[in-house]
Amino acid sequence: MAQIDAIVGWKDLPFGCHVYEPGSTAKFRTGDWRSQRPVLDKEKCIRCGMCWVFCPDMCYSQTEEGYFEANMEYCKGCGICAHECPKDAITMVPEED
Amino acid sequence: MGKRVGIEVSIAIAEAVKLARAEVIAAYPITPQTHIVEHLSEIIANGELDAEFITVESEHAAMSCCCGSSAAGARTYTATSSQGLALMSEILYHPGPMRLPIVMTVANRALAAPISIWNDHQDIMAQRDIGWIQTFAENGQEAVDLTLHAFRVAEDRKVSLPVIVNIDGFTLSHVIEPIVIPDQEEVDAYLPAFKPRVRLDVKKPVTMGPVGIPEVYTEAKMAHNEAIKASKRVILQGWKEFAEIFGREYNPVETYRSEDAEVLLVTMGSISETAMTAVDAMRDKGTSVGLVRIRLWRPFPGPEFRKAAGKASVLAVIDRCLPPGAVCGPVGAELRSIFYKMPGAPKIFSFVAGLGGRDVTVELFEEIVDKARAYAKKRPTELYEVIGVRER
Ligand code: SF4
Ligand code: SF4
């Protein structure tokens, strides 16, 4: 199951289960049930950003050198980035445990 | 003081919604609810009520609109029936936990198949667990009064829950009755403007209806359940203040000639009026019989019911719903649960009657009482019995 920063009892749930903090979904680290992870080969990567575009979980962000890095706290291991990469620069490798 | 007029109950309900100053009405017409929303659309078109009437393409959309408008802070009303209520089903589960105070009239009608436009309670019993407060009206006056009460309770900040007022299709919806239509000043005194605890507001963004992952879903359901249970205090208070302003008293459970009665009929909705006539007829013949009428269905008034049932030794419960394969009708099951293993509990016999517009007559009530008395001596083989069904 996903990790949550604040587990609360029913009495402390906000009224109507409303969420008052915009963007708070980022606090829910939802990547822990992944069975495989994307591994980047920088030799092949042309920094085109297709992986960034296609990742359904918006895991990718660009590094200072212009490469794209997936955030493993959110990556579900779906392999779409590897599939879409025009240079086959991404390999999906099994998570060990 | 209000004005007593001869009026069709559906029209009277629409007038009550007008007096309540509803701000958004999103509805789709379906028999036998049609006259209510038809009349409301006329009232709005004539400029008698400053409200938005959203003509939607289905009941699914009607309830979706209602959720949105209630979330935006508008006093919201809709009405439906039968297949329309069934089509709403997906959305009906949302406003409860989201604490959106929508008021809806359900003109109760059978569900297909076979297709039936006539009255029973199968439509609402299929939606028994949607988590709305639910009341049942016995007559036209009650339909009007419970509608005003529904807005008052739903929008109370301690409650903030949707409310259904059930009225029997045709038997109530299409009947002309003498009804006191309250004055606007009285209704205004009873019903303050809707001030939601939270509303959709671009200046103060809020997410309503987010995902409930396994770590919070149970807690969210618990919070909703506790809110429904706690609403009973406000429901009672709402009736108390209603009596003070309008002079008509309501309780979660009502009795009729129940004192010292050996057998009590238990009814819900408009058949209660026929049941009272039946009780009089049977009392005249010397039968020790009385009546308990359930007005508040959710939250179920367990303690009030036990008190109303008093020391009666036999309860004959009438359900206007036949849940196939279940052990008995929903009202029967509820009552068996609240009395289970209680010392001195009455024997409870469950009957199903009045399906799909079949009349529940005085004679039928007499048959039910006779059967219940016989079963008290010799246990029946089945947990419930369908009354008035032809064998061949
Ligand atoms: S899609 Fe492939 S080549 Fe393009 S930036 Fe991502 S990893 Fe590099
Ligand atoms: S594997 Fe799927 S979720 Fe993970 S980074 Fe690639 S596209 Fe995104």
Side-chain angles (χ1 to χ4, degrees):
Chain A
M1 287 194 287
Q3 295 171 35
I4 314 170
D5 289 331
I7 298 275
V8 296
W10 71 265
K11 289 180 183 167
D12 298 321
L13 273 183
F15 173 77
C17 286
H18 303 334
V19 180
Y20 297 95
E21 191 190 335
S24 61
T25 309
K27 286 185 181 168
F28 293 78
R29 296 183 296 276
T30 50
D32 56 355
W33 46 267
R34 179 180 55 241
S35 62
Q36 46 177 4
R37 62 164 63 210
V39 175
L40 174 68
D41 181 350
K42 285 188 180 168
E43 298 289 304
K44 291 184 183 166
C45 176
I46 56 167
R47 293 175 277 187
C48 66
M50 293 300 269
C51 49
W52 176 81
V53 169
F54 276 97
C55 171
D57 270 291
M58 294 177 283
C59 295
Y60 278 100
S61 53
Q62 203 168 15
T63 62
E64 293 213 339
E65 312 96 81
Y67 291 104
F68 290 85
E69 213 172 56
N71 185 334
M72 286 304 113
E73 288 193 339
Y74 303 104
C75 169
K76 308 293 194 303
C78 67
I80 288 174
C81 52
H83 182 82
E84 295 296 337
C85 172
K87 291 291 167 191
D88 290 332
I90 300 171
T91 317
M92 298 305 291
V93 300
E95 289 286 357
E96 285 313 320
D97 52 307
Chain B
M1 275 306 288
K3 196 163 166 249
R4 195 173 154 94
V5 291
I7 188 169
E8 187 188 301
V9 174
S10 286
I11 309 296
I13 292 169
E15 290 294 327
V17 173
K18 175 190 145 188
L19 288 167
R21 302 186 191 276
E23 293 164 304
V24 174
I25 295 152
Y28 192 85
I30 181 166
T31 303
Q33 150 270 28
T34 315
H35 291 183
I36 303 173
V37 293
E38 212 170 63
H39 190 62
L40 274 168
S41 73
E42 282 167 7
I43 288 173
I44 294 168
N46 291 342
E48 293 169 47
L49 174 65
D50 183 17
E52 195 71 42
F53 191 104
I54 309 174
T55 49
V56 285
E57 82 281 11
S58 72
E59 286 84 357
H60 190 277
M63 189 42 59
S64 303
C65 283
C66 288
C67 287
S69 77
S70 185
R75 179 165 289 168
T76 303
Y77 175 81
T78 189
T80 193
S81 258
S82 184
Q83 312 296 137
L85 184 68
L87 183 52
M88 265 183 194
S89 183
E90 186 194 353
I91 315 300
L92 288 174
Y93 287 81
H94 289 72
M98 288 171 70
R99 310 294 294 275
L100 302 173
I102 300 160
V103 171
M104 171 157 73
T105 305
V106 178
N108 301 123
R109 164 185 150 183
L111 282 174
I115 296 168
S116 166
I117 59 164
W118 292 279
N119 168 230
D120 67 25
H121 291 168
Q122 308 213 76
D123 58 355
I124 193 62
M125 289 307 163
Q127 308 298 338
R128 190 189 59 176
D129 299 329
I130 51 176
W132 292 44
I133 292 167
Q134 294 191 29
T135 55
F136 277 81
E138 280 177 22
N139 53 45
Q141 185 68 62
E142 232 177 84
V144 166
D145 295 350
L146 291 181
T147 303
L148 298 173
H149 175 257
F151 282 107
R152 169 68 188 264
V153 170
E155 293 171 4
D156 186 294
R157 285 179 153 218
K158 291 191 283 299
V159 176
S160 204
L161 286 168
V163 180
I164 286 174
V165 178
N166 288 287
I167 63 153
D168 284 312
F170 294 111
T171 353
L172 287 186
S173 65
H174 284 53
V175 165
I176 295 174
E177 289 186 20
I179 295 173
V180 177
I181 304 291
D183 289 338
Q184 186 66 63
E185 301 76 61
E186 290 174 328
V187 176
D188 289 346
Y190 181 64
L191 204 55
F194 176 32
K195 290 205 187 72
R197 271 164 75 161
V198 187
R199 74 168 82 209
L200 291 177
D201 180 356
V202 281
K203 290 196 214 84
K204 229 175 135 203
V206 54
T207 302
M208 292 189 182
V211 172
I213 54 176
E215 289 84 348
V216 302
Y217 187 85
T218 308
E219 285 68 23
K221 286 293 170 193
M222 180 74 175
H224 175 206
N225 187 38
E226 292 297 320
I228 286 262
K229 287 191 330 201
S231 73
K232 200 167 86 184
R233 284 185 56 180
V234 178
I235 293 168
L236 298 179
Q237 183 63 23
W239 275 329
K240 195 167 160 272
E241 284 174 36
F242 190 93
E244 283 159 16
I245 295 179
F246 302 95
R248 289 182 293 279
E249 261 179 53
Y250 292 104
N251 293 295
V253 177
E254 306 274 3
T255 54
Y256 183 72
R257 300 184 77 171
S258 62
E259 326 73 47
D260 310 324
E262 175 201 332
V263 183
L264 287 179
L265 285 162
V266 182
T267 55
M268 204 155 71
S270 65
I271 63 164
S272 304
E273 301 231 319
T274 321
M276 285 186 248
T277 310
V279 165
D280 288 343
M282 284 183 274
R283 284 267 187 182
D284 286 350
K285 289 179 205 157
T287 314
S288 177
V289 61
L291 171 67
V292 181
R293 299 119 68 194
I294 300 168
R295 178 170 296 119
L296 179 64
W297 172 235
R298 287 290 180 271
F300 191 81
E304 286 87 348
F305 188 91
R306 279 195 293 260
K307 192 158 167 269
K311 293 193 177 61
S313 54
V314 177
L315 298 187
V317 188
I318 295 133
D319 260 291
R320 306 202 54 205
C321 168
L322 175 54
V327 292
C328 71
V331 184
E334 208 87 16
L335 297 185
R336 283 191 171 130
S337 300
I338 65 165
F339 282 108
Y340 184 67
K341 295 238 161 144
M342 280 230 342
K347 288 181 175 161
I348 301 175
F349 303 108
S350 173
F351 298 91
V352 171
L355 299 183
R358 184 76 59 90
D359 280 338
V360 187
T361 59
V362 168
E363 293 71 33
L364 225 53
F365 282 116
E366 289 178 339
E367 186 185 335
I368 287 168
V369 169
D370 287 346
K371 288 206 154 138
R373 291 169 81 199
Y375 291 153
K377 294 194 188 83
K378 188 174 179 293
R379 256 181 82 158
T381 47
E382 300 286 340
L383 278 171
Y384 69 94
E385 182 171 340
V386 184
I387 285 288
V389 66
R390 287 186 305 277
E391 293 292 335
R392 52 185 73 239

